[in-house]
Amino acid sequence: MQKPSKRDLVSIDDLSSAEIMALFRHADEFRADLRAWSHLCRGSIMATLFMEPSTRTRLSFESAMLRLGGGVISAADPATTSFAKGESLADTVRVVGGSYADIVVVRHPQDGAARVAAQYARVPVVNGGDGAHEHPTQTLCDLYTLWREKGGLEGLDVVLCGDLRYSRTVHSFAYALARFKANIVTIPYPGFEMPAHVLERLRREFGVQAAVASVGELPGIAVENSAAYLTASRPHQLALFTRLDAVEVERIDAIYMTRAQRERHRGESTVGYPRLSKDSMKSELMRDARIMHALPRIDEIAYEIDDDPRSVYFQQAGLGVPIRMALMAFQLGAIELDAEPPALSSTDPGLKFPAAGIRCRNERCVTNGEGVAYLVGDFRVVVEWPPRLACGYCGQEMDAPFVGSGTTQRFHRHDAPLAKRITPEHRVYFESEEQARAAGFHDGA
Ligand code: NCD
């Protein structure tokens, strides 16, 4: 199904930090004269399959491929493609990724859909945003902007503000910032906090600790007495504060605003949604801050600060072209990155369960959505004992306190001595006894 050597970008984890830095260097070269590279991918075709609205992402991908000398075919309106007839994403990419196109960029409303496309396409796939899951090329633009503005990424204090629950750009960005040892402060619009599994992962893999302080309204962070201070309590430990007023901030390197992701809401009110205004920019705290936004902006940033030199959101969008040129030139083999790839890719298969077994609990996950008829669950064990699994598609985590043996068909609670004796390759995990029984396992107690 999958060519072993193809490089998909489904999650920001699919690029190593060294590769990201190498992409920046290529992007700098491309940016110096965007018109000088039309020999690089001559003859290549990029297909964009966009099942959600987009302006910047799709157009910057198309512009990037044209500047590399390649061609572009686009399905930008789901209503006029076979999706409207009920064709699966798997079938579509099987056809498009091959004789139609050499690289496929996918945007889809369901969490984890990009991994499905990567699994079924024979050519490299790029995630152009899948539901509330990830948006790794936006993160490349964001990191590239920050790197250029601040001269590096390590140790920066970055505030993520707004709808952190449904914003895929924020999720990919947080993973990358953590990897580059930036400090992350979150200011969620109440009720739209970072998903638990994102926080869990930041803590588990990067040592990012959530600190408890009370919510500062965004304009409040510009007020001196509600300032907060960001600390890392052990070397290389990253601090992540979900609330701000119990601590003191010395400076903010960047504040990343995100709009309310209404298309993923269920009618929740967004009255009092955070907004940056001229007043918020007056604080000493914001002296060197860069104002960032993936765009589109709705009302989170007042138009009056567009001309402030600290507002970099339009430059951020402009950098989308050279960084996407670098990414696609790399994926198509036109340039090499002098850097090691990551040890694991997000598309590597995890533990597969029979169709009747455990399913992801995220109702927005592609395994419960358009893939329900053809995808089986695919999980990773993220904590061995007590067992905790993460969905390989959307990242949602769940505890699986019952462990069965695939050879004896008996199950046990994870802390029973017999459970510990099951060899890892024979373990089958269950969320409940009922689930184990339903899968044909017997209580081994
Ligand atoms: C973002 C997206 O689609 O997730 N937009 C983009 O790609 N530039 C952010 C958003 O829509 O809020």
Coordinates of all heavy atoms in Angstrom, one line a residue, residues 50 52-58 60 107 128-131 134-135 137-138 141-142 166-170 256-264 293-298 300 316-317 324, ligand 1:
F50 N -9.1 19.6 -1.5 CA -9.5 20.4 -0.4 C -11.0 20.2 -0.1 O -11.8 20.7 -0.9 CB -9.1 21.9 -0.6 CG -7.7 22.1 -0.2 CD1 -6.7 21.3 -0.5 CD2 -7.4 23.2 0.6 CE1 -5.4 21.5 -0.1 CE2 -6.1 23.5 1.1 CZ -5.1 22.6 0.7
E52 N -12.5 21.4 2.6 CA -12.9 22.5 3.5 C -12.4 23.7 2.9 O -11.4 23.7 2.1 CB -12.1 22.3 4.9 CG -12.9 21.6 5.9 CD -12.1 21.8 7.3 OE1 -11.0 22.3 7.3 OE2 -12.8 21.4 8.3
P53 N -13.0 24.9 3.2 CA -12.6 26.1 2.6 C -11.1 26.5 2.9 O -10.6 26.1 3.9 CB -13.5 27.2 3.3 CG -14.6 26.4 3.9 CD -14.1 25.1 4.2
S54 N -10.5 27.2 2.0 CA -9.1 27.6 2.2 C -8.8 28.7 1.2 O -9.3 28.7 0.1 CB -8.2 26.4 1.9 OG -6.8 26.8 1.8
T55 N -8.0 29.6 1.6 CA -7.5 30.6 0.7 C -6.0 30.5 0.7 O -5.4 30.1 -0.3 CB -7.8 32.1 1.2 OG1 -9.2 32.1 1.4 CG2 -7.4 33.1 0.2
R56 N -5.3 30.8 1.8 CA -3.9 30.8 1.8 C -3.2 29.5 1.6 O -2.2 29.4 0.9 CB -3.4 31.4 3.2 CG -3.1 32.8 3.2 CD -3.3 33.3 4.6 NE -4.7 33.0 5.0 CZ -5.6 33.9 4.8 NH1 -5.4 35.1 4.3 NH2 -6.9 33.6 5.2
T57 N -3.7 28.5 2.3 CA -3.0 27.2 2.2 C -3.0 26.7 0.8 O -2.0 26.3 0.3 CB -3.7 26.2 3.2 OG1 -3.6 26.7 4.5 CG2 -2.9 24.9 3.2
R58 N -4.2 26.6 0.2 CA -4.2 26.0 -1.1 C -3.5 26.9 -2.2 O -2.7 26.4 -2.9 CB -5.7 25.8 -1.6 CG -5.8 25.1 -2.9 CD -7.2 24.6 -3.2 NE -8.1 25.7 -3.4 CZ -8.3 26.4 -4.5 NH1 -7.6 26.1 -5.6 NH2 -9.1 27.4 -4.6
S60 N -1.1 29.1 -1.7 CA 0.4 29.1 -1.5 C 1.0 27.8 -1.9 O 2.1 27.8 -2.5 CB 0.8 29.5 0.0 OG 0.3 28.5 0.8
R107 N -6.9 18.6 2.4 CA -7.5 19.2 3.6 C -8.9 18.5 3.8 O -9.6 18.3 2.8 CB -7.7 20.7 3.3 CG -8.6 21.4 4.4 CD -8.5 22.9 4.3 NE -7.3 23.4 4.9 CZ -7.1 24.7 5.2 NH1 -8.1 25.5 5.1 NH2 -5.9 25.0 5.7
G128 N -2.9 19.4 4.7 CA -3.2 20.8 4.6 C -4.2 21.2 5.7 O -4.9 22.2 5.5
G129 N -4.3 20.4 6.7 CA -5.3 20.6 7.8 C -6.3 19.5 7.9 O -7.1 19.4 6.9
D130 N -6.3 18.7 8.9 CA -7.3 17.6 9.0 C -8.1 17.8 10.3 O -7.7 17.5 11.4 CB -6.7 16.2 8.9 CG -5.6 15.9 9.9 OD1 -5.1 16.9 10.5 OD2 -5.3 14.7 10.1
G131 N -9.3 18.3 10.2 CA -10.2 18.6 11.3 C -9.5 19.4 12.3 O -8.8 20.4 12.0
E134 N -4.2 18.4 13.1 CA -2.9 19.1 12.9 C -2.9 19.8 11.6 O -3.8 19.6 10.7 CB -1.8 18.1 12.9 CG -1.4 17.5 14.2 CD 0.1 17.2 14.3 OE1 0.9 17.9 13.8 OE2 0.4 16.2 15.0
H135 N -2.0 20.7 11.5 CA -1.8 21.5 10.2 C -0.3 21.8 10.2 O 0.2 22.9 10.4 CB -2.6 22.8 10.4 CG -2.7 23.6 9.1 ND1 -2.0 23.4 8.0 CD2 -3.6 24.6 8.8 CE1 -2.3 24.3 7.0 NE2 -3.3 25.0 7.5
T137 N 2.1 22.2 7.8 CA 2.8 23.2 7.0 C 2.5 24.6 7.5 O 3.3 25.5 7.3 CB 2.4 23.1 5.5 OG1 1.0 23.4 5.3 CG2 2.8 21.7 4.9
Q138 N 1.4 24.8 8.2 CA 1.2 26.1 8.8 C 2.2 26.2 9.9 O 2.8 27.3 10.1 CB -0.2 26.2 9.4 CG -0.5 27.6 10.1 CD -0.4 28.7 9.1 OE1 -1.0 28.7 8.0 NE2 0.3 29.8 9.5
C141 N 5.4 27.4 8.5 CA 5.4 28.9 8.3 C 5.6 29.6 9.6 O 6.3 30.6 9.7 CB 4.0 29.4 7.8 SG 3.5 28.7 6.3
D142 N 4.9 29.1 10.6 CA 4.9 29.8 11.9 C 6.3 29.7 12.6 O 6.9 30.7 13.0 CB 3.9 29.1 12.9 CG 2.5 29.2 12.4 OD1 2.2 30.0 11.5 OD2 1.7 28.4 12.8
Y166 N -10.1 23.5 19.3 CA -10.3 23.1 17.9 C -9.3 23.6 16.9 O -9.5 23.3 15.7 CB -11.7 23.5 17.5 CG -12.8 22.8 18.3 CD1 -13.7 23.5 19.2 CD2 -13.1 21.5 18.1 CE1 -14.7 22.9 19.9 CE2 -14.1 20.8 18.8 CZ -14.9 21.5 19.7 OH -15.9 20.9 20.3
S167 N -8.4 24.4 17.3 CA -7.4 24.9 16.4 C -6.3 24.0 16.1 O -5.4 23.8 16.9 CB -6.9 26.3 17.0 OG -5.9 26.8 16.1
R168 N -6.3 23.4 14.9 CA -5.3 22.4 14.5 C -3.9 23.1 14.4 O -2.9 22.5 14.6 CB -5.6 21.8 13.2 CG -5.9 22.8 12.1 CD -6.8 22.1 11.0 NE -7.2 23.0 9.9 CZ -8.1 22.8 9.1 NH1 -8.8 21.7 9.2 NH2 -8.4 23.6 8.1
T169 N -3.9 24.4 14.0 CA -2.6 25.1 13.9 C -1.9 25.2 15.2 O -0.7 25.0 15.3 CB -2.8 26.5 13.3 OG1 -3.5 27.3 14.2 CG2 -3.4 26.5 12.0
V170 N -2.7 25.4 16.2 CA -2.1 25.5 17.6 C -1.6 24.2 18.1 O -0.5 24.1 18.7 CB -3.2 26.0 18.6 CG1 -2.9 25.7 20.0 CG2 -3.5 27.5 18.3
Y256 N 0.4 34.2 19.7 CA -0.2 33.6 18.5 C -1.7 33.5 18.7 O -2.2 32.8 19.6 CB 0.4 32.1 18.4 CG 0.1 31.4 17.1 CD1 1.0 31.4 16.1 CD2 -1.1 30.6 17.0 CE1 0.7 30.7 14.9 CE2 -1.3 29.9 15.9 CZ -0.4 29.9 14.8 OH -0.7 29.2 13.7
M257 N -2.4 34.3 18.0 CA -3.9 34.4 18.1 C -4.5 33.4 17.2 O -4.0 33.2 16.1 CB -4.4 35.8 17.7 CG -3.9 36.9 18.6 SD -4.4 36.8 20.3 CE -6.2 37.1 20.2
T258 N -5.6 32.9 17.6 CA -6.3 32.0 16.7 C -7.8 32.3 16.7 O -8.3 32.7 17.8 CB -6.1 30.5 17.0 OG1 -6.7 29.7 16.0 CG2 -6.5 30.1 18.4
R259 N -8.5 32.2 15.6 CA -9.9 32.6 15.6 C -10.8 31.5 16.2 O -10.3 30.3 16.3 CB -10.4 32.9 14.1 CG -10.5 31.6 13.4 CD -11.0 31.8 11.9 NE -10.7 30.5 11.3 CZ -11.7 29.6 11.2 NH1 -12.9 29.8 11.6 NH2 -11.4 28.4 10.6
A260 N -12.0 31.8 16.6 CA -12.9 30.7 17.0 C -13.2 29.8 15.8 O -13.6 30.3 14.8 CB -14.2 31.4 17.6
Q261 N -13.0 28.5 16.0 CA -13.1 27.6 14.8 C -14.5 27.2 14.7 O -14.9 26.0 15.0 CB -12.2 26.4 15.1 CG -10.7 26.8 15.3 CD -9.9 27.2 14.1 OE1 -9.9 26.5 13.1 NE2 -9.3 28.4 14.2
R262 N -15.4 28.1 14.3 CA -16.8 27.9 14.4 C -17.3 26.7 13.7 O -18.3 26.1 14.0 CB -17.6 29.1 13.9 CG -17.5 30.3 14.8 CD -18.3 31.5 14.2 NE -18.0 32.7 15.0 CZ -18.5 33.0 16.2 NH1 -19.4 32.1 16.7 NH2 -18.2 34.1 16.8
E263 N -16.7 26.4 12.6 CA -17.1 25.2 11.8 C -17.0 23.9 12.6 O -17.6 22.9 12.2 CB -16.4 25.1 10.5 CG -14.9 24.9 10.5 CD -14.0 26.1 10.7 OE1 -14.5 27.0 11.5 OE2 -12.9 26.2 10.2
R264 N -16.3 23.9 13.7 CA -16.2 22.7 14.5 C -16.9 22.9 15.8 O -16.8 22.0 16.7 CB -14.7 22.4 14.7 CG -14.0 22.0 13.5 CD -12.6 21.5 13.7 NE -11.5 22.5 13.5 CZ -11.1 23.0 12.4 NH1 -11.6 22.6 11.2 NH2 -10.1 23.9 12.3
H293 N -0.6 35.1 13.6 CA -2.0 34.6 13.3 C -1.9 33.8 12.0 O -1.3 34.3 11.0 CB -3.0 35.7 13.2 CG -4.4 35.3 13.3 ND1 -5.0 34.3 12.6 CD2 -5.4 35.8 14.2 CE1 -6.3 34.2 12.9 NE2 -6.5 35.1 13.9
A294 N -2.5 32.6 12.0 CA -2.4 31.8 10.8 C -3.4 32.4 9.7 O -3.3 32.1 8.5 CB -2.9 30.4 11.1
L295 N -4.3 33.3 10.2 CA -5.3 33.9 9.3 C -6.3 32.8 8.8 O -5.8 31.6 8.7 CB -4.7 34.7 8.2 CG -3.7 35.8 8.6 CD1 -3.1 36.4 7.3 CD2 -4.4 36.8 9.5
P296 N -7.5 33.0 8.5 CA -8.1 34.3 8.5 C -8.4 34.9 9.9 O -8.7 34.1 10.8 CB -9.4 34.1 7.8 CG -9.8 32.6 8.1 CD -8.4 31.9 8.2
R297 N -8.2 36.2 10.0 CA -8.6 36.9 11.3 C -10.0 37.3 11.2 O -10.5 37.7 10.1 CB -7.7 38.2 11.4 CG -8.4 39.2 12.0 CD -8.1 40.7 11.7 NE -7.5 41.2 10.5 CZ -6.7 42.2 10.6 NH1 -6.4 42.8 11.7 NH2 -6.2 42.7 9.4
I298 N -10.7 37.1 12.3 CA -12.1 37.6 12.3 C -12.2 38.9 13.1 O -12.2 39.9 12.5 CB -13.1 36.5 12.8 CG1 -12.9 35.1 12.1 CG2 -14.6 36.9 12.8 CD1 -13.0 35.2 10.6
E300 N -10.1 38.9 16.3 CA -9.1 38.7 17.4 C -8.0 39.7 17.4 O -7.3 39.8 18.4 CB -8.5 37.3 17.3 CG -9.3 36.1 17.0 CD -9.7 36.1 15.5 OE1 -8.8 36.0 14.6 OE2 -10.9 36.1 15.3
Q316 N 4.0 36.3 7.8 CA 3.9 34.9 8.1 C 3.2 34.2 6.9 O 3.6 33.1 6.5 CB 3.0 34.8 9.4 CG 3.0 33.5 10.1 CD 2.0 33.7 11.3 OE1 1.7 34.8 11.7 NE2 1.5 32.6 11.8
A317 N 2.1 34.8 6.4 CA 1.4 34.1 5.3 C 2.3 34.1 4.0 O 2.3 33.2 3.3 CB 0.1 34.9 5.0
R324 N 6.9 26.1 1.6 CA 6.2 25.0 0.9 C 7.0 24.6 -0.4 O 7.0 23.4 -0.7 CB 4.7 25.4 0.6 CG 3.9 25.4 1.9 CD 2.5 25.8 1.7 NE 1.7 25.6 2.9 CZ 1.2 26.5 3.6 NH1 1.3 27.8 3.3 NH2 0.5 26.2 4.7
Ligands
NCD1 C1 -5.9 27.9 9.5 C2 -6.7 26.5 9.3 O1 -7.3 26.3 8.3 O2 -6.6 25.8 10.2 N1 -5.9 28.7 8.3 C3 -4.8 28.5 7.5 O3 -4.5 27.4 7.0 N2 -4.1 29.6 7.2 C4 -6.4 28.6 10.6 C5 -7.9 29.0 10.7 O4 -8.7 28.7 9.7 O5 -8.3 29.6 11.7

